[in-house]
Amino acid sequence: MNKAKLKSYAPQARKDFIAAVEARAHSLGLSEIGGTLDIAPSEKKGDVTLIAGQAWPAKVHDQRQRLIKRMKKEGFGQTVEAVAYTWFNRFAALRYMEIHDYLDHGYRVLSSRKGGLPEIIAHATDVAGNLQGLNASQIADMKLAGNQDGELYRLLLVAQCNALSKAMPFLFEHIDDESELLLPGNLERTDSVVAKLVESIAEEDWSEVEIIGWLYQFYISEKKDAVIGKVVKSEDIPAATQLFTPNWIVQYLVQNSVGRLWLMANPGSTLKIQWKYYIEPAEQTPEVQAQLDALIQTRMSEDGGSLNPETITMLDPACGSGHILVEGYEVLKAIYLERGYQARAIPRLILEKNLFGLDIDDRAAQMAGFALMMKARADDRRLLDSPIKLNVLSLQESKGLELDEFDSHLKPFGISRALLASLIDTFAHAKTFGSLIQIPEALDNGLSTLTAGLGKAMQSGDVFAQAAAQDLLPLVKQAMALAMKFDAVVANPPYMGSQYFDGPLKRMVEENFKLAKGDLYACFIVRNLALTKPGALVGMITIPNWMFLSTFESTRHWLFDEATIETFSHNGRGVFGSDFGSCAFTYRHNALPEYKGGYKRLFEHQGSVASVEELNGRFHDAIPFEASSDGFRR
């Protein structure tokens, strides 16, 4: 994969997509002047909508009203940027799918193997019979006209996205909204954002779904540079805190968490031969080994005495574009195959039962879900024929939800005001706090009541009750995920020093994570353990200052008191570039002070910088040394 090419393309693509969406908004009579939304007059007449004297289809009137409402709420610039990001994600997804021949009609949507206009335009009449929502005779007439390729392409693109909405609604929502309205124009031209996407990235670079993560990382890179070093606003936290994790680090983390759980329960397994980043546990004292055996026996007893692959749960609480989840898929697939499951049954089981991802960035969660779906589609060609209950969520906020209104509409369905208040209060700052949110006990106990009540409201309530239930269902779903206890939590957490916290974040961290308040990532060291079952494993990559600085002394003491470090790779500089170092480690939700963990140091001189590839090689060459919590205390 040519990452240098991706790094030069994606930041410019962000500018191009924003410019194209903004131009489309201007053509609809919407702009920003001096920070104020400027709205040109419009009028609906029969089957047309007139905007500043220009005629548009009638349905544009209602779409435009929804768009204006959103711009008034979020701001013109933020709306344009969000829609541009969504279309970039959709086009990247379509490009990946057309190259891998995952589109049912068999034609490319963004390009042509022979050059020239996209194949879907050249074969528009054939495609019209394959994609729902298209008028075959209209498509044939437009094709014959010879001068309507732009509008024809627009209709085909929207129909293609709608066809994919059944399998991937998180990315290809049924398009009849402001995102359709702001779909850039002139996409059939050779200088369009679509043409640049096709030309800028070689086809071979799309061979692995990992490209989605790198595109995401580079797409937000310039915004990241712009917000670093400042108090970070909620909407800028994703750009300020995210770093893409190199593949070998991800393999190490997942193989030594999910993989280690399986090997403990199945000591005769041969899977560790294919898990090349697995660190063989040191020989323990009989007392420590007996404690480990008891932990795994307790977990196995939950499944009737044998660890059932279908019950293994793994969470990435800050999943970004899904790189860690994709590797989780690989490890779990190997586990299912070893247990003898039919190959075609495995992808759906993993996506629906095993893997969970949370993030505060809607667009990142879109790409994480897409990456998982593509990984599974490679193993099951019929996967996209029916919906998948994917467990990848973008955390949503409850700001703007009025308790009195919800109480009046939902009281008849057995939902108490106190329960509603707790749900709304818990997620008031969800886009800032993310997975650090802890579900109050009373809310946790009431989630089944909420679910049942909202279900009744959806089935038999009036239009207001149904709308209220629809608004609250995403909050209930994310509350259920955050209240779960997992077998493994694996994360590259957000990085932000406490000096950059805004007021609400500073207060929340002070109240709930005081012993780790120096940085967001340290808060996640604590939070991730709370998200696991006793005996479960956490895998993380972080910057290494928590290992040494007095600021994190309480974090270190807490870790030795509550958990056991089982493996550790001190990487030095290079994983995240030359600016700062990193360490990757796994720790167990049980304190075994005498447990001897396996540690690797991948550098000789403090401050030296190595490439990701060099560090990968050093990981295999380094001989682990052993250390215990008791040893570190001394």
Side-chain angles (χ1 to χ4, degrees), residues 38-288:
D38 186 64
I39 305 171
S42 70
E43 183 182 7
K44 188 174 180 180
K45 286 188 174 184
D47 60 353
V48 299
T49 296
L50 295 175
I51 303 174
Q54 182 180 350
W56 296 80
K59 74 171 186 177
V60 166
H61 181 270
D62 292 338
Q63 290 177 324
R64 185 174 184 262
Q65 290 304 115
R66 291 196 296 269
L67 178 58
I68 291 170
K69 182 179 179 181
R70 178 175 175 181
M71 285 181 169
K72 287 180 176 178
K73 179 182 177 182
E74 299 178 6
F76 177 85
Q78 193 168 332
T79 300
V80 165
E81 184 171 348
V83 173
Y85 203 162
T86 293
W87 278 112
F88 175 78
N89 281 354
R90 287 173 179 163
F91 288 141
L94 287 169
R95 181 61 172 155
Y96 182 90
M97 294 184 75
E98 72 175 15
I99 286 177
H100 288 264
D101 200 20
Y102 288 170
L103 300 171
D104 287 343
H105 49 67
Y107 299 114
R108 291 194 171 187
V109 175
L110 306 184
S111 66
S112 171
R113 280 160 280 214
K114 297 179 181 179
L117 290 173
E119 291 174 4
I120 199 172
I121 298 178
H123 299 274
T125 52
D126 296 329
V127 172
N130 184 277
L131 297 177
Q132 292 184 356
L134 293 174
N135 183 317
S137 60
Q138 178 193 14
I139 296 298
D141 290 344
M142 294 176 74
K143 183 66 180 165
L144 283 172
N147 61 353
Q148 298 183 34
D149 283 346
E151 188 55 32
L152 174 61
Y153 193 29
R154 187 178 195 85
L155 289 174
L156 294 169
L157 276 173
V158 171
Q160 179 64 75
C161 290
N162 286 340
L164 293 170
S165 67
K166 181 181 177 182
M168 293 181 281
F170 52 87
L171 178 57
F172 296 100
E173 304 97 331
H174 192 83
I175 300 175
D176 187 25
D177 59 8
E178 60 268 24
S179 66
E180 177 188 358
L181 202 56
L182 291 180
L183 171 61
N186 302 315
L187 291 176
E188 79 286 359
R189 289 178 11 181
T190 56
D191 61 347
S192 72
V193 289
V194 166
K196 290 177 182 177
L197 171 65
V198 171
E199 293 168 5
S200 299
I201 305 173
E203 287 202 16
E204 55 266 26
D205 286 341
W206 294 94
S207 61
E208 298 294 334
V209 77
E210 183 184 351
I211 189 176
I212 297 299
W214 284 112
L215 280 173
Y216 170 73
Q217 173 83 1
F218 294 138
Y219 186 91
I220 63 173
S221 60
E222 288 191 351
K223 186 170 184 179
K224 183 185 187 75
D225 293 340
V227 300
I228 285 293
K230 305 173 184 176
V231 173
V232 181
K233 295 183 292 186
S234 178
E235 62 267 25
D236 293 332
I237 288 177
T241 60
Q242 290 166 352
L243 288 168
F244 191 68
T245 323
N247 194 53
W248 75 266
I249 294 280
V250 178
Q251 291 184 60
Y252 156 76
L253 293 173
V254 178
Q255 291 170 14
N256 287 281
S257 54
V258 178
R260 187 172 294 254
L261 177 70
W262 180 254
L263 293 175
M264 287 179 67
N266 299 274
S269 170
T270 60
L271 288 180
K272 65 182 176 183
I273 297 172
Q274 60 182 272
W275 292 337
K276 60 182 181 178
Y277 295 94
Y278 181 74
I279 295 179
E280 192 72 41
E283 185 175 348
Q284 308 294 331
T285 65
E287 293 79 12
V288 170

